[in-house]
């Protein structure tokens, strides 16, 4: 069973993409256990101080190993994604003994942690207890500083597992599409307060609407993801 933890906004602001994402995940990997990490959903995900987090769920990724009792593996992703390849392949990659796997990138100083494989047992050595993460919002940035750019602790993923707004890839070559520029996300979540921008690739926008229609027809209506 592939365990995947998805960071999500608290009040259903990202419901349109969440419906698409779950539909595509289950299409490509039926044997999957999905946890939607939302503030105030269950005791473990409640009471976090988030005022310095870039998104409503940024710091949750660092307590996933504890949520798994520091056993086995887990995948973390943001919710603003469309999947095209079985997550089982990502789940079973050779991490070469490292606690984390993520693609290289410069936004966070060396690695992009919006798609991440976690070896929960190995991560325990570096974990900050959830009780501290809950009360000290700056722990998110501290963990970014600890891991990003540290090749001794982070195994490099193929960037197609976290393809930022399509980059320069053909759509058929992407494993996991990430709508990473919040200003140009087609569904325009209410929690984003910046100025909206047009997406740099119209084919990516068209794909979102096509997949959204398919998700609704397959039994994944947006209303199911509203809080």
């Amino acid at each position: 069973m592939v365990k995947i933890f998805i960071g999500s906004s608290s009040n259903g602001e990202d419901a349109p993409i969440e419906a698409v994402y779950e539909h595509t995940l289950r299409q490509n990997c039926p044997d999957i256990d999905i946890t939607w990490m939302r503030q105030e959903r269950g005791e473990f995900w409640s009471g976090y101080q988030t005022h310095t987090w870039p998104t409503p769920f940024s710091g949750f990724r660092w307590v996933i190993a504890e949520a798994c009792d520091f056993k086995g593996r887990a995948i973390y992703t943001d919710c603003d994604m469309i999947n095209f390849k079985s997550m089982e392949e990502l789940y079973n990659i050779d991490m070469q003994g490292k606690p984390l796997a993520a693609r290289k990138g410069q936004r966070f100083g060396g690695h992009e942690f919006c798609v991440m494989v976690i070896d929960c047992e190995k991560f325990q050595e570096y974990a900050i207890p959830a009780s501290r993460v809950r009360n000290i919002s700056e722990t998110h940035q501290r963990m970014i500083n600890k891991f990003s750019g540290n090749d001794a602790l982070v195994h490099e993923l193929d960037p197609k597992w976290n393809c930022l707004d399509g980059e320069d890839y053909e759509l058929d070559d992407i494993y996991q599409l990430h709508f990473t520029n919040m200003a140009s996300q087609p569904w325009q979540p209410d929690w984003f307060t910046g100025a909206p921008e047009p997406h740099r690739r119209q084919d990516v926008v068209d794909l979102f609407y096509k997949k959204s229609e398919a998700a609704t027809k397959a039994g994944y209506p947006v209303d199911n993801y509203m809080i």
Side-chain angles (χ1 to χ4, degrees), residues 159-180:
K160 287 182 283 190
W161 280 114
N162 183 13
C163 183
L164 310 179
D165 285 300
E167 299 179 59
D168 294 322
Y169 289 100
E170 296 293 330
L171 291 179
D172 290 344
D173 294 331
I174 297 171
Y175 301 163
Q176 182 96 344
L177 174 63
H178 184 190
F179 289 91
T180 188

Side-chain angles (χ1 to χ4, degrees), residues 140-195:
H140 171 58
Q141 189 58 50
R142 292 177 193 173
M143 295 301 272
I144 291 285
N145 295 341
K146 179 188 293 286
F147 287 103
S148 195
N150 190 336
D151 292 336
L153 297 179
V154 184
H155 175 66
E156 183 179 357
L157 286 182
D158 187 327
K160 287 182 283 190
W161 280 114
N162 183 13
C163 183
L164 310 179
D165 285 300
E167 299 179 59
D168 294 322
Y169 289 100
E170 296 293 330
L171 291 179
D172 290 344
D173 294 331
I174 297 171
Y175 301 163
Q176 182 96 344
L177 174 63
H178 184 190
F179 289 91
T180 188
N181 180 8
M182 291 175 281
S184 65
Q185 291 175 334
W187 60 97
Q188 297 183 340
D190 290 341
W191 61 262
F192 177 69
T193 57

Side-chain angles (χ1 to χ4, degrees), residues 41-80:
R41 172 164 283 195
E43 183 177 351
F44 191 82
W45 308 108
S46 298
Y48 286 79
Q49 300 298 310
T50 65
H51 57 278
T52 64
W53 294 4
T55 71
F57 50 79
S58 296
F60 285 154
R61 72 198 74 192
W62 307 114
V63 299
I64 290 170
E66 184 175 337
C68 295
D69 296 321
F70 298 107
K71 296 176 182 177
R73 285 190 177 189
I75 294 173
Y76 165 79
T77 79
D78 294 350
C79 64
D80 45 5

Side-chain angles (χ1 to χ4, degrees), residues 1-201:
M1 176 72 72
V2 174
K3 292 183 182 178
I4 181 167
F5 291 76
I6 304 173
S8 173
S9 53
S10 302
N11 300 306
E13 296 95 335
D14 291 298
I17 189 62
E18 290 174 6
V20 170
Y21 190 27
E22 180 163 2
H23 179 224
T24 57
L25 283 170
R26 294 192 184 279
Q27 269 189 316
N28 296 316
C29 184
D31 193 23
I32 192 168
D33 178 30
I34 297 175
T35 297
W36 294 97
M37 298 185 298
R38 293 187 175 96
Q39 179 80 289
E40 308 305 335
R41 172 164 283 195
E43 183 177 351
F44 191 82
W45 308 108
S46 298
Y48 286 79
Q49 300 298 310
T50 65
H51 57 278
T52 64
W53 294 4
T55 71
F57 50 79
S58 296
F60 285 154
R61 72 198 74 192
W62 307 114
V63 299
I64 290 170
E66 184 175 337
C68 295
D69 296 321
F70 298 107
K71 296 176 182 177
R73 285 190 177 189
I75 294 173
Y76 165 79
T77 79
D78 294 350
C79 64
D80 45 5
M81 301 195 172
I82 301 176
N83 174 261
F84 298 96
K85 194 176 184 68
S86 174
M87 280 295 190
E88 187 172 6
E89 294 188 33
L90 179 62
Y91 192 76
N92 291 320
I93 62 164
D94 180 3
M95 295 174 64
Q96 299 180 355
K98 300 175 184 180
L100 298 179
R103 70 163 285 179
K104 289 289 184 77
Q106 296 306 314
R107 291 187 307 149
F108 304 108
H111 289 93
E112 303 275 346
F113 293 114
C114 24
V115 172
M116 184 165 68
V117 187
I118 306 163
D119 183 315
C120 298
E121 182 178 356
K122 288 184 169 58
F123 186 82
Q124 185 171 12
E125 178 182 348
Y126 308 96
I128 296 176
S131 58
R132 288 185 60 198
V133 176
R134 183 178 286 110
N135 295 313
I136 306 173
S137 68
E138 291 80 8
T139 54
H140 171 58
Q141 189 58 50
R142 292 177 193 173
M143 295 301 272
I144 291 285
N145 295 341
K146 179 188 293 286
F147 287 103
S148 195
N150 190 336
D151 292 336
L153 297 179
V154 184
H155 175 66
E156 183 179 357
L157 286 182
D158 187 327
K160 287 182 283 190
W161 280 114
N162 183 13
C163 183
L164 310 179
D165 285 300
E167 299 179 59
D168 294 322
Y169 289 100
E170 296 293 330
L171 291 179
D172 290 344
D173 294 331
I174 297 171
Y175 301 163
Q176 182 96 344
L177 174 63
H178 184 190
F179 289 91
T180 188
N181 180 8
M182 291 175 281
S184 65
Q185 291 175 334
W187 60 97
Q188 297 183 340
D190 290 341
W191 61 262
F192 177 69
T193 57
E197 301 172 0
H199 198 283
R200 58 180 289 271
R201 286 183 58 171

